[in-house]
Amino acid sequence: MARKNYSEEFRRQAVDLYESTPGATVRGIAEDLGIVRGTLRHWLEIYGTGKKTAADGTLTSTQLQSKPMASSSPPAGETPEQKIARLEAENAALRAETTKLTTEREILQRAAKYFGRGDALVSRFQFVADNSATYPVKRLCELVEIERSSYYAWLKAAPAREERARADVELATRIRAVHAKDSTQGAPRITAELNDSAPAGERVNHKRVARVMRLEGIRGYVKKRRVRTTIPEPSGQKYPDLLQRDFTAKTPNRRYVGDITYLPLADGTNLYLATVIDCYSRRLAGWAIADHMRTELVEDALKAAAATRGSLKGAIFHSDHGSVYCSKAYAKLCRKLGVTQSMGAVGSSADNALAESFNATMKREVLQDAACWNGELTCRRQVFRWLVRYNTKRRHSWCRYTSPVAYETGYTATLPTAA
């Protein structure tokens, strides 16, 4: 069960399940119970006995005792009849406790199939309902930590839920018929269409329509989001276009182009990639990834290129008129590194076509048919892998179908030693 808080009883039962299951592993028991392996290991340190049932069913030592054993020393003056009665009572108590633990272990094993996928409350109710003929409802509710009154209320509402589900199926059929005529329609327009054609008294709420559409995967056309990465700064410093769309160079480390592109994530946010590409070999000399588009992003990319080349003195760096490239801080860094800035015309992507093409290729080959990355960590890992492979392994048509690094290796001129 994927919960944050577990009762002490649950923890002890989980430990007992691990120790008493022949050949059980921490990973297997943790997955069955829907908990993290580290959590189970922690419980074993606290509640475990250090004893384990082997795969053949034999015990490495005595099994866990749920209660301390009574002292073997008889009370003073105990008669043989009293001793027999005491031992029989202790034996009966131990048998009852063993039966209880065995029953609870069986219940938890069954519960794992319900809760392994999550901790939805309806799964707990359904588990109790499916096993109420075998075990007492009271005990089942205690083990899965729900109130009996809540369970019986859920059980009583079952006919209403079934009727609601049947009505939703019928509504989904009507929604598909409307959506098939015009696939651009979303929930508000489809709701209006349904209500216009519905008999009096059978109007539907737009929230219900939206819910059914979401469950059935029906949606209207939504224009793909476009993230603006070039934000002009009217007061920023401008530089002449020194390349004039000539993205070639006679030697490495003389002409560079760069840009910022967004990397969409599934949660609706973005990461941003800044690049510095050598026009001679198309090598990605420097790059940086961040969750912002501040000046530090492009500064880090240019610093990475300087580290790769050893020096950028005398090189030209060409970009668009983004505010970060027009900033005073970036101009100061370029002067410090001996780089001459160049910029294309405002609003003309063709003036920085090499960088634009690189960004499009990277997204196409990494994302392929996906619209975004599942998460930030996945995005960083996949993009990093592709960028490294682009330089060292990926065959580039410009480089006569060798990699950019291999293409530069064939150049006979001596390049500055990388720092």
Side-chain angles (χ1 to χ4, degrees):
M1 303 177 192
R3 302 197 304 269
K4 293 183 179 180
N5 298 314
Y6 297 84
S7 65
E8 182 176 350
E9 182 182 13
F10 182 93
R11 299 177 186 181
R12 290 184 180 277
Q13 290 169 342
V15 170
D16 180 61
L17 178 63
Y18 166 74
E19 293 184 341
S20 61
T21 303
T25 63
V26 172
R27 178 178 182 178
I29 296 299
E31 289 179 350
D32 288 344
L33 297 178
I35 60 177
V36 180
R37 278 177 280 174
T39 300
L40 180 55
R41 290 194 184 98
H42 180 63
W43 294 350
L44 287 170
E45 293 175 359
I46 300 175
Y47 304 107
T49 64
K51 314 302 189 296
K52 186 71 180 65
T53 304
D56 59 0
T58 60
L59 297 176
T60 58
S61 183
T62 57
Q63 290 188 345
L64 173 66
Q65 298 291 337
S66 59
K67 290 184 178 180
M69 292 295 292
S71 175
S72 59
S73 300
E78 184 181 42
T79 64
E81 292 77 8
Q82 290 174 334
K83 182 177 181 180
I84 292 173
R86 176 176 58 82
L87 292 177
E88 287 180 348
E90 291 178 357
N91 190 30
L94 288 174
R95 285 200 304 270
E97 184 67 20
T98 301
T99 301
K100 178 183 177 183
L101 290 175
T102 301
T103 301
E104 291 176 352
R105 182 164 61 248
E106 292 175 354
I107 293 174
L108 285 174
Q109 288 173 333
R110 294 191 182 193
K113 299 178 181 179
Y114 286 77
F115 303 145
R117 298 184 300 272
D119 190 30
L121 187 60
V122 66
S123 297
R124 304 191 193 190
F125 291 145
Q126 191 62 55
F127 168 73
V128 175
D130 292 345
N131 292 273
S132 59
T134 308
Y135 304 102
V137 171
K138 179 181 179 181
R139 192 65 188 133
L140 289 170
C141 290
E142 289 176 353
L143 286 176
V144 298
E145 299 180 352
I146 59 174
E147 297 291 336
R148 273 188 294 167
S149 58
S150 299
Y151 164 70
Y152 285 121
W154 175 84
L155 200 62
K156 185 177 180 181
R161 286 196 304 274
E162 293 176 359
E163 176 61 25
R164 192 159 52 246
R166 183 194 61 77
D168 284 349
V169 171
E170 294 180 355
L171 179 60
T173 302
R174 296 168 57 196
I175 290 173
R176 285 195 184 93
V178 175
H179 188 261
K181 297 178 181 179
D182 184 356
S183 61
T184 65
Q185 296 184 102
R189 293 170 61 192
I190 289 180
T191 302
E193 186 75 21
L194 292 173
N195 288 334
D196 283 347
S197 59
E202 296 186 13
R203 295 175 63 85
V204 292
N205 183 276
H206 70 281
K207 292 183 179 179
R208 183 186 173 200
V209 172
R211 176 178 59 81
V212 173
M213 289 179 65
R214 184 167 57 251
L215 292 175
E216 297 292 329
I218 305 171
R219 65 189 65 186
Y221 172 76
V222 178
K223 186 177 181 179
K224 292 183 179 179
R225 61 181 178 179
R226 180 180 179 184
V227 178
R228 240 182 124 190
T229 54
T230 302
I231 304 175
E233 175 55 59
S235 61
Q237 189 170 357
K238 304 300 187 293
Y239 300 90
D241 186 348
L242 302 180
L243 298 191
Q244 296 295 322
R245 301 188 182 180
D246 179 11
F247 304 112
T248 62
K250 294 181 180 180
T251 60
N253 200 29
R254 305 313 305 164
R255 285 184 166 190
Y256 292 93
V257 298
D259 193 16
I260 300 176
T261 189
Y262 75 100
L263 309 174
L265 305 179
D267 62 1
T269 61
N270 301 299
L271 293 179
Y272 299 92
L273 168 67
T275 55
V276 179
I277 306 169
D278 195 313
C279 291
Y280 172 78
S281 62
R282 278 29 178 186
R283 179 178 181 177
L284 185 63
W287 76 84
I289 299 177
D291 59 359
H292 61 80
M293 288 197 300
R294 297 191 293 271
T295 306
E296 302 96 277
L297 175 64
V298 292
E299 287 181 331
D300 289 345
L302 193 62
K303 290 176 182 177
T308 298
R309 292 308 195 188
S311 174
L312 295 178
K313 187 175 182 179
I316 296 173
F317 177 76
H318 182 82
S319 67
D320 55 28
H321 282 262
S323 59
V324 290
Y325 292 118
C326 295
S327 66
K328 294 180 180 179
Y330 194 72
K332 181 179 179 180
L333 177 62
C334 288
R335 289 194 298 270
K336 178 181 177 180
L337 297 177
V339 174
T340 302
Q341 285 188 259
S342 169
M343 291 183 176
V346 176
S348 176
S349 60
D351 286 352
N352 202 18
L354 175 56
E356 297 276 358
S357 176
F358 174 89
N359 293 337
T361 300
M362 183 274 295
K363 289 183 181 179
R364 182 177 67 251
E365 295 188 2
V366 179
L367 283 175
Q368 296 186 11
D369 294 330
C372 59
W373 281 273
N374 292 332
E376 178 178 341
L377 182 59
T378 300
C379 177
R380 287 181 180 273
R381 286 175 175 172
Q382 291 184 356
V383 172
F384 173 79
R385 181 181 180 185
W386 188 90
L387 296 179
V388 174
R389 185 179 178 276
Y390 168 86
N391 276 339
T392 60
K393 298 293 183 182
R394 184 182 179 279
R395 298 180 183 274
H396 201 299
S397 59
W398 174 265
C399 303
R400 302 186 183 93
Y401 291 97
T402 63
S403 69
V405 170
Y407 187 72
E408 283 189 358
T409 303
Y411 180 67
T412 57
T414 302
L415 296 177
T417 303

